[in-house]
Amino acid sequence: MNKVMSNKWMITIYILPALLLVGILIFIPIILTAYYGLMEWNGIGAMKFIGLENYIQAVQDKKFWDSAYHSFLLAIFSTLSLVVYLAVSMILASKIKGADLLRKIYLIPMLLSSVAIAQLWIKVFNPTNGILNQFLMFLGVEKPPIWLANPDIVLYAIFIPILWQYAGFYILIYYAALKNIPNSLIEAAKIDGATPFQIAYKIKLPLIMGVVKVTIVLAIVGSLKYFDLIYVMTNGGPNGASEVMASYMYKLAFSTNDFGYGSAIGFLLLIITLVVTIIIRRLTASDEEVQY
C-alpha cells in the first residue's frame, strides 16, 4: 500500500510542472476571458460590472451570427477539402513517376507564414494585373470579377488560399498513415483481382479511418477559430462579408476598445468550438469508443 501511495506521489510530482504550465497558459486566461465578459471595460480604465449584458448582447447581435455563419461555412469547405487531400495522398503514396518531387512541392505552403501567403494571394486576386484575372481575360472573359471587393464572392475567394495553405499539413498526415499500411495486404488484394479504386476504398480507407476522424476534428476546430489570413487580406470586409468570429472579436477588443464585449465574444467562441468538437467526436466515434 505504501509503495502504491509512494508511486502516486512521484507521478504527481513529475506532472505538477506540466499541470502548472497548462493552468497558467490555458485555464487562467479562459477564466479571465469569461470574467472580463461580465464587465464594461475599455482595456485601460476601471472595470464596471454589468453582469450578463455583454453575453445577452452577443446572442442578439446579428453581426456575431453572420460571422459565426461564415466560420461554419469555412468549416464545411475545410471538411469537404479533406476528400481531395486524401485522394492526393493516396496518389503520392503509390509508386508513380515524379511522386518524390510532388511530395516536396506540396509542403511549400507549410513553410510560408500566413502574412506572406495573404500578400501573395492579394497579388493573385488583383483585379487589374493579377494572374487570375489575366488568365480569365486570356480565356475571353471581358469583365473578370473583383474578387476581394465583391461581397457575394469574397468569402469563397478567401477560402482558396486558406485551403491551399493547409493542404500540405493534411496530405502529410494521410501520407504517413497510408505508408504504415502493411504492403502484404495490398499485394494480396491485387492477387485477388482488386482494382486500385477497390483497394483504396475497401482496404486503405478503413485502415486509416481513425486518422481521418482526427483530421475532421482538426479541420472544423481550426476553421472556427481562424483569423490571421482573413484579417490581412480583407480585414473582414467588404462590409463584413468575410468577417469570421475571431476577426469580429479582434475588432471589438482592439479596434473599438470594447474589451468587455470582445471578451464575451471570445468566450462564446470557445463554448461554440467546444460544443462542436464534442458533437463531431460523438458522430465519428466507433461503437467501442461510445461504450467506453
Side-chain angles (χ1 to χ4, degrees):
M1 183 67 180
N2 291 333
K3 185 177 180 180
V4 174
M5 291 300 296
S6 176
N7 289 338
K8 288 183 178 180
W9 276 109
M10 289 299 296
I11 293 172
T12 303
I13 291 173
Y14 276 118
I15 67 174
L16 186 60
L19 291 176
L20 291 175
L21 188 63
V22 170
I24 293 172
L25 298 180
I26 297 179
F27 292 111
I28 291 178
I30 290 174
I31 294 172
L32 289 176
T33 300
Y35 171 73
Y36 292 149
L38 302 173
M39 304 292 173
E40 181 182 330
W41 185 40
N42 62 4
I44 301 175
M47 292 184 288
K48 177 183 177 183
F49 181 77
I50 58 175
L52 296 175
E53 287 187 19
N54 284 329
Y55 293 97
I56 295 173
Q57 180 182 351
V59 173
Q60 299 173 346
D61 188 350
K62 183 180 181 300
K63 290 184 178 180
F64 170 69
W65 290 113
D66 287 342
S67 66
Y69 169 74
H70 297 157
S71 294
F72 277 102
L73 200 60
L74 174 58
I76 292 172
F77 274 83
S78 298
T79 305
L80 294 176
S81 67
L82 294 179
V83 178
V84 178
Y85 302 153
L86 181 57
V88 172
S89 64
M90 286 189 176
I91 295 173
L92 293 175
S94 61
K95 297 178 180 179
I96 62 170
K97 188 176 181 180
D100 291 337
L101 177 62
L102 292 174
R103 281 196 291 268
K104 295 178 177 65
I105 292 176
Y106 75 75
L107 288 173
I108 292 177
M110 295 179 59
L111 306 177
L112 303 176
S113 69
S114 295
V115 175
I117 292 174
Q119 293 297 329
L120 170 65
W121 282 89
I122 287 175
K123 301 295 185 183
V124 172
F125 288 132
N126 189 290
T128 56
N129 54 13
I131 187 173
L132 181 56
N133 278 5
Q134 290 291 326
F135 178 71
L136 292 177
M137 286 188 288
F138 174 77
L139 294 179
V141 180
E142 295 183 0
K143 293 183 179 179
I146 306 176
W147 298 97
L148 300 182
N150 188 334
D152 296 327
I153 62 174
V154 60
L155 195 64
Y156 304 100
I158 291 179
F159 287 170
I160 296 174
I162 293 175
L163 300 180
W164 177 79
Q165 178 184 12
Y166 288 98
F169 173 74
Y170 291 107
I171 292 174
L172 181 62
I173 293 176
Y174 291 145
Y175 176 79
L178 289 168
K179 296 303 288 185
N180 284 328
I181 297 176
N183 193 51
S184 58
L185 294 177
I186 309 300
E187 295 299 328
K190 290 180 179 178
I191 293 174
D192 291 337
T195 64
F197 177 79
Q198 289 174 329
I199 293 173
Y201 182 71
K202 295 185 177 181
I203 297 177
K204 292 183 178 180
L205 183 58
L207 289 175
I208 66 168
M209 186 52 67
V211 176
V212 173
K213 292 177 181 179
V214 172
T215 57
I216 291 174
V217 175
L218 291 175
I220 293 175
V221 172
S223 299
L224 292 179
K225 63 184 183 65
Y226 198 81
F227 167 73
D228 45 7
L229 189 142
I230 291 177
Y231 178 77
V232 175
M233 290 188 69
T234 64
N235 195 20
N239 196 26
S242 61
E243 197 83 83
V244 291
M245 288 188 286
S247 63
Y248 186 52
M249 173 194 67
Y250 179 87
K251 282 184 178 180
L252 289 170
F254 297 99
S255 296
T256 63
N257 292 328
D258 194 349
F259 278 82
Y261 190 38
S263 297
I265 295 292
F267 189 70
L268 288 177
L269 171 58
L270 170 67
I271 297 300
I272 291 173
T273 304
L274 181 61
V275 170
V276 170
T277 302
I278 293 173
I279 293 174
I280 296 300
R281 289 292 297 166
R282 281 290 181 180
L283 292 176
T284 59
S286 62
D287 295 336
E288 293 81 2
E289 291 173 333
V290 172
Q291 290 175 1
Y292 179 77

